[in-house]
Amino acid sequence: MSTVENETDIGPNESDTDTEGTQYLKTDNDRPTEGSTDGDLPPSIVGILEDVRHEEQGEEDRTFSSRFSTAYGNTLDQEEQESSDVINGDVLASPGKERPSSADGSFSIPDDTPSVQNSILSSTGRYPHISGRGYSPSPSLRPFDRRFQARLSQSPLNSPRPSSPAFLTNHSRHPSALSQLVHDSGDADTPDAPWEVVRWTKLRKMSGQAFSEIGKRKFGRPTCIAVSASIAVGTSKGMILIFDYHQNLQTIIGPGTQAVESGSVTSITFSADQSAVAGGHANGAIFTWDTTRPAKPLSQIPATDQSRLHTSDHDGHVSGAAVLHIGFLGTRHTALVSADEKGMAFSHFVSRNMGAFVRSIKTTRILGRYPETSLTGTRPKKPSSVLAFAPLPLGNAVHTTDDMGLVAMLTPYLLVIVSTIPVAQTQHKASRPKELAAHSTMSAALAWFPAMKTIADDVAIDAPSSPVKLAYCWSNILTVLDVHEAEVSEVGVKDKTPELRFIPRKRYKADEAIVAIQWLSRSVLSVITVSQQLIILEDTVLQVTDSSDMIKKHIYHVDLFSQQLSQLVEKLDEEDTSMHGVVADAFYMSFKAYKGRLFLLGFSDISMGTMSNWADRLLALMEEGSFIGAIELATSYYNGEGDKATVGLPEDDASRHSVVEERLIEMMSASLKYAFGKNQKAGTSKLGDRQLKELATACFNACLSIEDMEFLFDDVYTWYSDDQVEALFLHILEGYIKNGSIRNLPPSVLKDLVGHFVEGGRDSELEEILCLLNPVTMDIDQITSLCKKHRLYDALFYVWNQALGDHITILKDLLYLKEDQAHDHRSDRDLFRTMSENPASKVFPYLSYILTGRIYPTGEAIEETKATMAKAEIYDFLFSSGRRDTVMNESSSNKMTLSLPNLRRILKLDSSSFLSMLNEAFEDSFLNGSNEIPNGQQRIAELSEEQRFGLSVNRQFIISVLIEVIAPPDFDGKDIIYLDMFVARNIAKFSQFILLPGSTLQRVMVELCTYSDEETAEDCQLSVEYLLSVFQPPDLPSMIPILSDAHFYRIIKLIYTSEREYALLLTTCFEDRENPQAIFDCIAECLKPRSNLSPKQIEDIHNVIINHASVLVEAGLTRAASIIDAFAPDLHTVLLETLNDDEHAQFQYLREVLEPSEPRKAADETPRTSLNQNFVEQYVRLLCDYDPHHVNDYIGNLQVGDLRLESVLPALESSGIINAAVVIMAREGKLREAIDRLTQYLRTLGAALIGLLDGVHETPDAANAQETSDDLTTSLQKYIRIGVWLCQSQTKSVANLKGKATASSRRALVTDPLRTDEELWLDLVDSVVQVTRDVGDTLESHLDTESATTNHPIDSSKVLSSLRTMVQETFTALLTSTTMPQANDVRQKDLSFLRIFRAFLDRVSLSSPSISNLRAVLSTIFSAYSYEESLLDLANRLLDKDLFVHVAEVSSMRRRGWRPLGQLCEGCGKRVWGPGVGGGIWDAWVEASQGGNASGSKIKATRGGAAAKGNGKGKAAARVEDDVAEADKAAEPDLEEGKRGNLGPVVVFACRHVFHRRCLERMRVSGEESGVEGRGDLEFSCPLCI
């Protein structure tokens, strides 16, 4: 971003600036508006603003055209080429697919919402016995469930009908690319903006005097600045230079005084009346000066020698501590506050005592402590400094804080606000925000904004004022604090110090640390970040409005705090989140603001900056050539969308509008001149079409905002029309009409708009446009002829209704549109059937809208009085008996007169649509029969006869007329059916308004049952349901055959239910194939225990189910099984017999019965005695075929006797489910048979595995041999575990029997025969070893015969390892089962394992002459036990190690000591530790820690009054480190309290009571003595816990 640097005088114009610092831009009427420019701005900006003010002098061309013609002319030709074909391509070209015309644009959609005008809801909710229904596939077949919808309706809120989907597309307009320059308040960066955020002016004359080599040698280098009516610059040689705003050096302060001997000026400030200046120096001294008499200081506050701090009561800055901050209090020259680099702050009050020349100074310390010599054992203090400091300046509004002398100070830890008058008192404290990131940059800044009047009349006494505000920040967190006076509850207390409330209002988080803050105005903040970024914030929302890079300004900054705060900067410990990464340099002395201007002290110059206001930004856009962006930006300013405070615009709308509106119109006028090449001075040519479209869009938005449509159509449109590009303007206009922004058009523009659409062939879109405009401004004759010519009947209706209030003329024209064709050879019905796309079909949605009080076709509500009269006119037109028509009689060729010709004609057009429209109109309260003209605007006597008739029409009259008119021979059966449906529905909904004889209703019901079209069957049944809700036929049972022939099963069900004919009801449900689920609901409802049916009724229902069993299972197999099992389990056999030809269906049926998918509700079921064994056995057999993996789970859940083994065993064996068979045998006690079958199957599996190994190279599926081998091995493992389970079960049973035997029983010997359980184990072990041996032999033979290079498809080692694991597990289970503990938990000698093992060896020796195979098996068995032993030994060692670690940790924690319950001695009540106890405790703790105590079992007395730690119950422990930290954290020790004397050591017991040792000795119980080191043999016990 470029920087404007001008050498100019900067003298302030005080008349144009208020005391708050807000500048004003003078307009033509001299209205002061909050802005940022006045007479002392650089000449170039003043010249531009003067051009804006000289429009009346004929300089408009120079202002808005010539200034940007050069910049914009280079890109003009290129933009014209890019958009030269817009008119032909985008605007006038016809669309690829023409939208439907209004003739076929109306349609109806299903809806059940009420119409407007207090209508009655069309709902069947009050008829509980009428069942719900769905819509038929075609809307025409459900005429009474639809709502007519015009294609232009926008679904108003008072008529919640859905909109037509044909008009939901967005009419988008391409915005100008330059519109992106419109300011967004939420965006901090505007890199593309052509204006400058701040216009900087380098003060060259001032900089030359201060920064030149001569100046540096004479005055020293500038170190700080202060800005008021003058500019003060402090130097490194202790001098202060005073410049006026013409950059003249007025005064040099300091030469020849002690000030030059006090070091550099480190801080500087002006008094409130700007006549005095104060400076703080590097050695701690402060001088105040009268700017008019600089030879001698007004007062001098010297630094205090550090050696006198403890011997004198005098307060002040320590010598050598630089005064970093200084400020005057209020209006006095003799009251100051200051702060130094050591973290101390003081208030200074200078007064005259002895004569006029002798002054006394009262200095009060308000923050910090003097540096002290470090004492041995004292706790080190945290380093501190005053990072930011400022007294509250005076505003132009009276405030409570004016007499309090408020000072705000920021340290690395706290925000402190202190009132210094009348005495120093802390008003508010706040700690650093928790949101600060760890290791962030340490920086701080603050700035006050005083109370200012919020109105222009500053003289007003009771003028409201803005609150006092303080903006402060730590690192990157900025907070705004509002200061309010608290309400005083006590009345009449005058001398009471006012109470203040400090309320944090907003918080802003920057991307980096903030180092300086200044208020530009009441609502605008400027901040400098550590990377020298200038950020502008609006106070109301604390959002970034602008930003600028200041790195090139080279702002002067100094490292003032890093040495003092070095302990707070992290060194190596990055895990300590309380430490900072770095301490930022100080910028506060170089960044100042005064009356809306910014002042910067750089390393080589001084600059002044002014915020660019709204006018500057607009002119910058215009000068760049972005006139469209300028118009859009001005529009956003007018609407208040931008940052008003930042750009200097008033907050109130009226003032802002008056300022911006004139400029906006001027810019549009100048832009139009430039765009169309009329600017002769600029020498420009006309712009391209794209730019013209963007300009038109910008002008539309601007004129709509300022509500000046006259300028839009008289000026803007004239430019486009004169240049013959009005199509561009009209194209943009179209979008604004469609979105409702523009409703009124001048006649000339409307005429051109109509021609524009007609030429483009866009008749349908033209109709839409016409219906969205206000017809009052239209030429009715022109629009009528146009609409008729192009069949724009929606627009025709709209114009006549709204402009003339005529609702009949166009309706009649449409109905008789083809009257001249009525005399051809076709009948009326044939004629109208060929008019399916005839515009006459639009009468139905039109009538629907008018009769429900809506404007057609927009859907907006009609005003109540107009709506009533419109409805009366329509009803008179349709139903007036006075209307007659003469037609030809087809049979006799004679003329005949027919009544109600309009009604008959519209019925012949489409009777179903007409009745549907009437169904919607019946919901309107107009037809209730008691219509009155609202508000007494007209009396009935003043109405015409037609209007009075229309007001008298009601529902009864309409239905009577329709019944008379819709009758043969003029109407066929389908029309009569539609009428019957209409009557049946509405008599149910409006029974209080409609009364018909029973014979008529009976006829209606019969006609509905004799429909001829299946597509209307559902509608007819629904209508009969409506009718039966209010009408009871005299002989309803006689109607059942008619209803049955019509298949009205819902109605028949209702009849049978009311008559309690449940068997017939269920029969009807079976006959109703459209609703099969009703069968199950009917069975459940009829057979539930609470139905109270008689046995005869239940038997009849069972017979119906038996007779329709096949229908029941077809309706839903699983649902049938569930229902029958719950309510009629005796019928399972019947249904299963029905499924004899489908075993899978039987399986599904039985699964739902025996294993239901959902839990049953027992309360509504018939209780079942037990499972049918035949069903269970059949289900198991089917499971073997359809779900063999589930057989085991199911059988495991059965009880003994639920199935017979011989019935299911063949199926289990054929399916290979041996484990299930074994479980069944074991459950029946056939363990011997179970083991035999199991061992036989094990051998079969072993043989299969051997066969696989032998033929693996010959099988064609050798690739899957490994997978097959794994499956066989897994099966072996599974069945071996089943055998182990059987043997263990038998062993437990035998053990229980042995436990009950008498003690005289003989102990078994090794040579005794095997018991039954032992034989089972022997057979299992023998089978497992045999399989392992056979497979092992086979593997060895293959390894011997195959070469080493042969790649065997099966992993032999894996197979052999798995088999040996089986043997190992089997022997382990055997050993565990036969060596279990016996009675009384005493392990007895049991020889079962030895006997089994002996028998096993006998068998093996018989079958294997060689012992080599047996040796391998035995080695595998025995290796298992050695492996288990090693695991146990390792686990024991790990447990012992963990136990030692935990015990050591507990012991270490116990030796740490105990935390006392309180801070007072339980004996004497005096303070033992904490605040006020003195520093001796800390010394004693340090001494005890250095001395150490290895065992921690003794008490070591110290002179300081502490004791070492102990770990016994009676041993004492001194205060632990945590307690010390807690005490130090609580408060700072009082030195005076610590000088009272030594109270002796402290003793803390395990119960956490604390005593002085001296108190314990006095309370010692006689006889309890033991040795204590150094003090005799005494052992203490807590006297409170004994």
Side-chain angles (χ1 to χ4, degrees), residues 129 997-1009 1023-1040 1042-1043 1051 1054-1055 1058-1059:
H129 62 279
S999 59
T1000 301
L1001 297 180
Q1002 180 80 8
R1003 177 179 57 80
V1004 168
M1005 183 174 176
V1006 172
E1007 289 175 350
L1008 288 173
C1009 295
S1023 301
V1024 173
E1025 289 181 291
Y1026 272 104
L1027 183 59
L1028 289 177
S1029 66
V1030 294
F1031 169 66
Q1032 183 69 26
D1035 188 10
L1036 186 59
S1038 63
M1039 292 291 298
I1040 290 180
I1042 301 176
L1043 296 171
I1051 301 173
L1054 290 174
I1055 296 174
S1058 62
E1059 299 293 334

Side-chain angles (χ1 to χ4, degrees), residues 28 81 141 707 794 810 860 1046 1172 1204 1279 1384 1393 1553:
D28 295 340
Q81 293 176 3
L141 304 180
E707 298 180 355
D794 280 348
I810 304 302
E860 299 174 358
N1172 189 311
R1204 295 166 295 182
Y1279 288 112
N1384 301 325
F1393 177 76
H1553 291 126

Side-chain angles (χ1 to χ4, degrees), residues 1144-1281:
H1144 187 265
Q1146 289 181 335
F1147 166 70
Q1148 291 180 314
Y1149 186 92
L1150 290 173
R1151 166 162 282 187
E1152 184 63 28
V1153 172
L1154 300 177
E1155 295 183 284
S1157 57
E1158 296 180 359
R1160 308 280 173 77
K1161 297 180 180 179
D1164 294 336
E1165 295 181 0
T1166 301
R1168 182 169 52 181
T1169 56
S1170 61
L1171 292 177
N1172 189 311
Q1173 191 178 58
N1174 294 327
F1175 292 162
V1176 174
E1177 292 172 356
Q1178 184 179 2
Y1179 180 57
V1180 171
R1181 290 193 295 269
L1182 293 173
L1183 270 177
C1184 294
D1185 294 333
Y1186 297 104
D1187 192 2
H1189 298 289
H1190 184 59
V1191 174
N1192 291 329
D1193 296 334
Y1194 178 69
I1195 291 178
N1197 295 327
L1198 295 177
Q1199 302 295 327
V1200 178
D1202 284 347
L1203 80 165
R1204 295 166 295 182
L1205 179 61
E1206 60 274 10
S1207 177
V1208 299
L1209 187 58
L1212 294 174
E1213 290 181 343
S1214 61
S1215 302
I1217 312 175
I1218 302 300
N1219 50 347
V1222 172
V1223 170
I1224 296 174
M1225 292 179 184
R1227 185 176 297 169
E1228 294 181 357
K1230 302 176 181 180
L1231 292 176
R1232 181 72 265 173
E1233 292 82 350
I1235 283 293
D1236 291 343
R1237 188 171 296 276
L1238 182 64
T1239 54
Q1240 180 182 356
Y1241 193 69
L1242 289 176
R1243 294 187 183 92
T1244 302
L1245 291 175
L1249 183 56
I1250 293 172
L1252 177 64
L1253 295 173
D1254 289 337
V1256 67
H1257 293 294
E1258 299 177 0
T1259 177
D1261 193 17
N1264 296 326
Q1266 182 64 47
E1267 182 179 355
T1268 306
S1269 173
D1270 293 341
D1271 293 340
L1272 290 173
T1273 306
T1274 302
S1275 298
L1276 282 169
Q1277 290 177 343
K1278 180 177 68 173
Y1279 288 112
I1280 288 173
R1281 291 187 180 121

Side-chain angles (χ1 to χ4, degrees), residues 306-325:
Q306 188 169 359
S307 61
R308 299 174 54 194
L309 292 177
H310 300 287
T311 60
S312 174
D313 295 334
H314 176 73
D315 279 329
H317 295 288
V318 178
S319 178
V323 180
L324 302 182
H325 311 278

